[in-house]
Amino acid sequence: MGKDDQEAYMHGENKRIEIKAYAKINLCLDVQGLLENGYHQVAMVMQQILLCDDVLLRFTPDEGAEGLAISMGTNRPYLPTDRRNLAWQAAELMAQTYVPDIKGRLRIDIKKRIPVAAGLAGGSSNCAAVIHGLNRIWDLGLSVKDLCEAGARLGSDVPFCVMGQAAADPGLRVAFAHDPLACHCAVATGRGTELEPVPGLDSHLVLSKPPISVSTAEAYRGVDEVEIPRRPDIPEIVRGLRKKDRDLIEKNMVNVLENFTLKRYPIVVYTKDKMQSECNCDALLMSGSGPSVFGLCTDRESAQEACRIMKGINRESFWTRTTV
Ligand code: ATP
């Protein structure tokens, strides 16, 4: 072994991995009261969509370092690039839990496309991507279940994002092809972390986010104060997914958080009304706690045309499709 080879061996190899951090929509969402731990009890169907952020991880081992030095950057200047970022928290959690003696530098770069604080789980998905990426970079060999358990400590939507990336990310899906939790769509119960994979919906869609942010905590608090005229029938929507019965699915697309968010933020009502009256969508719903609204379209052309119209109303409008 030459001197240079020895150096490389002592310091290990630099490693890099890029993970696609996909967004999600809720095909339905019900809030069923408070759990003992203070979280709301939910029942919802979560569906992964192709709209994604790119999360690039680069790790440089350094035996001379004191521990793990994390740094990060994103293309959204208003997002924190320190411990407040969920991606950073994911890296710290993975290091502390699985490799507490790790020494080196970790760089996280996120190219964001998913609107922030939009009900699309953008932050949770970035968090899941770091969990997956470090499982690979540090050769931890963890299953989707293990990775979900780690993710649940950082946010209720993280486990679903972990499962979705295991099924859809080009660099992960082969390794997880036989993992029973790798999936594109799931029923979530409890605080949203008890997940059962179900067949996904195959659809084009348009997404439009009004230029406001809705805090998830605010919407969940608010929904306790409002009347809820209609709740989704989860077994029915699952039956629709299994039978690929689009009518049955669309009939049960209900999100109880709309009862708070639409009342509190008229711009979400405006967005929904415009999508309803001017776009060729089969069914519309607010995703998560909002303010994003999505509309299902029968083909790509309708989704593109709907996106063109919605861009005239909300700059952050996209055409995309579900992953299957
Ligand atoms: P969810 O559907 O899981 O509630 P969301 O779409 O409502 O997610 P996020 O985009 O995850 O919301 O952002 C919520 C908050 O998290 C923002 O105020 C943002 O400052 C913070 N945050 C921390 N890390 C990130 C990240 N990597 N990407 C986006 N937001 C982040």
Side-chain angles (χ1 to χ4, degrees):
M1 197 186 275
K3 186 172 174 296
D4 287 353
D5 293 338
Q6 218 159 10
E7 278 287 304
Y9 175 72
M10 278 172 64
H11 293 293
E13 299 251 321
N14 291 357
K15 293 199 174 164
R16 61 175 273 152
I17 188 167
E18 188 168 297
I19 309 276
K20 298 245 170 259
Y22 300 94
K24 62 86 186 160
I25 52 173
N26 295 94
L27 295 178
C28 64
L29 192 160
D30 197 9
V31 182
Q32 301 172 327
L34 270 180
L35 294 165
E36 272 176 15
N37 54 15
Y39 284 98
H40 279 85
Q41 181 172 354
V42 298
M44 58 194 179
V45 176
M46 303 173 90
Q47 166 72 56
Q48 188 183 47
I49 60 173
L50 263 184
L51 177 68
C52 66
D53 296 339
D54 298 332
V55 178
L56 173 66
L57 301 179
R58 280 173 291 186
F59 177 64
T60 311
D62 180 359
E63 281 306 319
E66 284 195 3
L68 181 67
I70 304 172
S71 65
M72 71 171 294
T74 84
N75 58 338
R76 297 279 181 265
Y78 49 83
L79 273 183
T81 48
D82 54 23
R83 191 161 280 133
R84 288 168 297 166
N85 197 298
L86 277 166
W88 183 299
Q89 291 170 26
E92 274 188 343
L93 177 77
M94 291 300 280
Q96 280 160 12
T97 311
Y98 296 108
V99 281
D101 297 329
I102 196 90
K103 292 181 171 62
R105 292 184 300 282
L106 178 69
R107 173 74 193 176
I108 307 170
D109 283 292
I110 306 179
K111 180 174 177 190
K112 290 214 65 93
R113 297 186 197 86
I114 306 171
V116 172
L120 302 171
S124 305
S125 194
N126 294 170
C127 183
V130 172
I131 289 174
H132 268 301
L134 293 179
N135 180 40
R136 292 297 281 265
I137 283 183
W138 293 334
D139 286 327
L140 303 177
L142 299 168
S143 66
V144 176
K145 185 166 182 283
D146 299 327
L147 300 176
C148 285
E149 279 167 13
R153 292 164 61 186
L154 296 173
S156 300
D157 284 348
V158 181
F160 175 72
C161 296
V162 166
M163 289 161 64
Q165 287 167 23
D169 178 83
L172 299 175
R173 62 184 177 218
V174 175
F176 289 119
H178 301 294
D179 193 303
L181 289 182
C183 67
H184 303 278
C185 185
V187 176
T189 52
R191 70 170 173 105
T193 56
E194 284 158 42
L195 292 150
E196 188 204 333
V198 291
L201 168 69
D202 187 359
S203 182
H204 295 268
L205 61 124
V206 60
L207 258 181
S208 188
K209 179 194 169 271
I212 55 161
S213 297
V214 176
S215 126
T216 306
E218 176 198 13
Y220 275 90
R221 266 196 312 273
V223 82
D224 291 335
E225 313 293 323
V226 294
E227 201 188 321
I228 298 182
R230 190 175 166 225
R231 294 180 180 276
D233 185 336
I234 310 265
E236 273 296 273
I237 198 165
V238 171
R239 205 159 65 85
L241 287 165
R242 291 195 198 286
K243 287 171 58 189
K244 298 196 190 306
D245 180 339
R246 218 170 143 116
D247 277 351
L248 195 52
I249 296 166
E250 288 172 8
K251 271 192 205 122
N252 285 285
M253 281 176 41
V254 178
N255 177 351
V256 300
L257 294 178
E258 282 192 344
N259 296 294
F260 166 77
T261 308
L262 267 62
K263 208 163 139 195
R264 172 79 178 73
Y265 299 102
I267 193 162
V268 187
V269 181
Y270 180 71
T271 296
K272 238 189 137 179
D273 285 351
K274 282 284 174 190
M275 205 182 270
Q276 178 81 56
S277 60
E278 294 188 22
C279 303
N280 188 14
C281 294
D282 300 335
L284 311 178
L285 198 69
M286 185 181 83
S287 184
S289 48
S292 301
V293 173
F294 67 89
L296 301 183
C297 302
T298 39
D299 51 50
R300 191 171 73 176
E301 289 67 34
S302 320
Q304 285 174 328
E305 175 59 8
C307 178
R308 195 189 58 73
I309 295 166
M310 294 312 294
K311 267 191 191 292
I313 296 156
N314 299 319
R315 191 178 52 83
E316 286 191 284
S317 297
F318 305 84
W319 60 272
T320 183
R321 54 168 304 133
T322 56
T323 58
V324 282

